[in-house]
Amino acid sequence: MNQTSFYRAFEDRYRGSRETIKDRLRAYAGFTAPLRALAPAPAALDLGCGRGEWLELLGENGFQAEGVDLDDGMLAACRERGLAARRDDALAALRARPDASLALVSAFHLVEHLPFDLVRELIAESLRVLQPGGLLIMETPNPENLTVGATSFYLDPSHEHPLPPGLLGFAAEHAGFARQRIVRLQEDPRLHTEAPVGLITVLEGVSPDYAVVAQKAAPQPVLAPFDDAFEAPWGITLAQLAQRYQEQLAAQHAEIHQILGRIGEQGVQTAIALADERKHGSELARAQALAAEQQSALARQLDELRQQAARQEARLSQAEAHAAEMGQRVVDLLSSTSWRITEPLRRAMTLAYRLRNAQREGRLGSAAKSRGLRLARRLGGAVLRRPALKRAARAALRRVPALEARLYKLMLDNSDAVRVVVDQQPGELSPRAARVYHQLQQLQKRQHPPKQEQARTSDADSH
């Protein structure tokens, strides 16, 4: 089995693509940029250079960088890109360097492969070969991330054991470096916002990698350009995430307690309302029963009123039919021959009634003769307009020549002839007679207006 190809394929899968790694390594620019002030082309040595992403990035930024590694597959990847990389042991490469000959020593994901004693020796040798103000960068998996410390760290069978940040930082400080900074890296950027933190975030959200950046003692003007990078906040710790989760949980518990308190108050109010409802339940039931009884009574009354209305409507229909029948009878009566024949008799009876009333009231005087003559002329005219009556009257008057001559003279005497309209005010009749007379007169006008007008015209001409 080819061990070289195995580790190269393993790193390609689990470490990430070349561009991803280069992008992550740019986080160290704040530390490396001031090193270019120490020399025109600062010398750098990368221990365990792997595929050469860091060597390539250093070269792009003006460093004279060299890498060493024991994996031939990794070295082949470096040579493919024309990077200065050779096969050598990390400690051996450091021992071969003269004192204060390098501006930068780096070891990315190397120290977790070494026993701790060799790690301490590597730190001491790095301090020796660094120039004043030079940097040692050691990046390694962060066991503060519980998923890394318990699982993903052991995916690589060549790992010895996790190194807690505090231990590696103390080792650099104890070796004699002037200052050191723990730089936590690669956490989710959303953790730097106010986004909610869940339990899974506490378990696997801590920065999965960290580095110890240690600086060799130097005069203050040399160290000052590095202050911003050493004092900046880096990454997320387990304590920070746990504290945020605890505060969030406490806020949620407080909100739940408030909700429960409101629910409790509502429950008390509901219980009081239920008690009141039970208290007044019997009254409500009685009111409902009374309302139902009243509704039933109203329904019965409504049915009765409907029946009465139906009966009244039937009676009204009968009355209308009877009135129509009576009206038709009156119309038939006014249109009949007997009504027209008996008209003189009715007029005579009316005149007699009026004369009797006038005699009773003392109104019968000198005007009675004139009115009687006019009435006689109207009666004569009415007889003359009816051939049958005319023949009967002539036959009767021939038996009384004197009366015949007098009437003849009366009909021919028109010296004082005026149109006479018999006063037919119903006030001179009995109330019942006046009412009947008016009704008959109105019906006659509606049924035979032309004949009535002609009769009036003929009557006037005869006078």
Side-chain angles (χ1 to χ4, degrees):
M1 177 179 175
N2 189 336
Q3 190 76 358
T4 299
S5 61
F6 173 83
Y7 278 107
R8 183 173 179 180
F10 180 84
E11 185 159 327
D12 288 340
R13 171 173 293 187
Y14 289 102
R15 183 160 170 76
S17 69
R18 187 177 192 86
E19 289 304 319
T20 299
I21 299 303
K22 283 185 67 175
D23 188 61
R24 291 176 181 175
L25 292 173
R26 289 187 176 93
Y28 296 102
F31 292 101
T32 59
L35 289 175
R36 292 197 296 271
L38 300 179
L45 176 62
D46 186 25
L47 306 175
C49 61
R51 296 177 302 187
E53 296 94 345
W54 180 242
L55 290 175
E56 187 174 10
L57 190 61
L58 289 176
E60 293 172 358
N61 286 276
F63 284 79
Q64 185 179 354
E66 181 186 13
V68 296
D69 203 300
L70 294 176
D71 190 289
D72 292 334
M74 301 296 183
L75 293 173
C78 291
R79 295 189 187 101
E80 290 172 1
R81 294 185 173 271
L83 301 174
R86 57 187 175 84
R87 180 181 176 80
D88 200 354
D89 178 75
L91 281 174
L94 283 172
R95 294 187 187 116
R97 287 281 180 174
D99 296 347
S101 59
L102 297 173
L104 174 65
V105 175
S106 56
F108 290 93
H109 291 268
L110 172 67
V111 294
E112 66 268 19
H113 294 267
L114 304 176
F116 188 66
D117 290 340
L118 294 181
V119 172
R120 291 181 62 194
E121 187 176 351
L122 183 148
I123 294 172
E125 285 296 318
S126 296
L127 180 63
R128 180 184 64 82
V129 300
L130 284 173
Q131 302 170 356
L135 297 178
L136 169 64
I137 300 177
M138 296 179 291
E139 184 180 293
T140 186
N142 185 7
E144 290 179 331
N145 184 309
L146 300 180
T147 301
V148 172
T151 304
S152 62
F153 180 86
Y154 298 101
L155 284 174
D156 189 339
S158 63
H159 284 176
E160 288 281 334
H161 48 74
L163 293 170
L167 174 62
L168 194 58
F170 178 77
E173 183 181 339
H174 187 266
F177 280 90
R179 58 179 173 179
Q180 57 87 19
R181 184 76 167 93
I182 296 173
V183 178
R184 294 175 175 85
L185 302 163
Q186 277 72 279
E187 70 277 355
D188 190 339
R190 290 176 295 179
L191 293 177
H192 295 285
T193 67
E194 297 298 326
V197 175
L199 180 59
I200 189 64
T201 307
V202 176
L203 296 177
E204 60 183 24
V206 177
S207 303
D209 292 326
Y210 79 93
V212 170
V213 181
Q215 188 171 31
K216 189 173 182 178
Q220 183 59 31
V222 175
L223 299 180
F226 299 87
D227 290 345
D228 289 342
F230 274 93
E231 294 172 2
W234 293 93
I236 298 291
T237 67
L238 178 60
Q240 289 173 330
L241 276 185
Q243 180 66 25
R244 284 177 59 179
Y245 177 73
Q246 188 67 26
E247 291 174 355
Q248 177 181 302
L249 199 61
Q252 292 174 351
H253 287 169
E255 184 178 359
I256 290 172
H257 284 304
Q258 291 177 358
I259 294 173
L260 291 176
R262 290 195 295 269
I263 292 174
E265 293 176 359
Q266 293 175 358
V268 171
Q269 295 175 358
T270 303
I272 295 173
L274 289 175
D276 292 340
E277 185 177 353
R278 293 190 189 99
K279 179 179 179 181
H280 301 292
S282 58
E283 297 180 1
L284 179 61
R286 288 195 296 270
Q288 290 176 347
L290 179 60
E293 184 178 353
Q294 292 176 349
Q295 185 176 4
S296 178
L298 289 174
R300 290 194 298 271
Q301 292 177 1
L302 181 60
D303 291 340
E304 184 176 355
L305 289 174
R306 287 173 179 170
Q307 294 174 4
Q308 291 178 0
R311 290 194 295 269
Q312 293 295 338
E313 186 175 359
R315 292 174 184 174
L316 180 61
S317 299
Q318 293 176 359
E320 290 177 349
H322 182 68
E325 182 181 357
M326 292 299 102
Q328 185 62 42
R329 289 183 181 182
V330 169
V331 170
D332 294 342
L333 176 63
L334 295 177
S335 302
S336 65
T337 303
S338 61
W339 179 266
R340 292 192 299 272
I341 292 174
T342 58
E343 182 181 1
L345 180 59
R346 292 196 306 275
R347 291 178 179 273
M349 290 179 64
T350 302
L351 178 60
Y353 180 76
R354 293 176 63 188
L355 289 175
R356 185 182 63 183
N357 289 340
Q359 183 179 6
R360 290 176 181 175
E361 297 172 1
R363 295 185 289 107
L364 186 60
S366 60
K369 181 178 178 180
S370 177
R371 182 173 294 183
L373 291 175
R374 288 195 300 271
L375 182 59
R377 289 191 186 96
R378 290 189 65 183
L379 290 173
V383 170
L384 292 176
R385 287 194 299 272
R386 291 166 175 76
L389 289 177
K390 182 178 179 181
R391 289 192 297 272
R394 283 181 177 179
L397 289 175
R398 286 192 185 101
R399 298 175 185 177
V400 186
L403 179 59
E404 180 181 13
R406 188 173 179 178
L407 289 175
Y408 183 74
K409 181 181 179 180
L410 177 64
M411 295 301 294
L412 293 177
D413 186 7
N414 290 327
S415 60
D416 59 343
V418 294
R419 183 175 181 178
V420 178
V421 178
V422 178
D423 187 7
Q424 298 178 353
Q425 293 297 326
E428 299 178 4
L429 302 175
S430 67
R432 182 176 180 183
R435 185 167 59 252
V436 171
Y437 180 77
H438 275 300
Q439 292 176 354
L440 294 175
Q441 192 177 39
Q442 292 173 3
L443 288 171
Q444 188 175 16
K445 288 179 180 179
R446 288 196 299 268
Q447 294 297 327
H448 301 286
K451 291 182 179 181
Q452 291 174 356
E453 186 64 30
Q454 181 180 1
R456 292 192 189 98
T457 304
S458 301
D459 191 15
D461 293 339
S462 67
H463 292 291

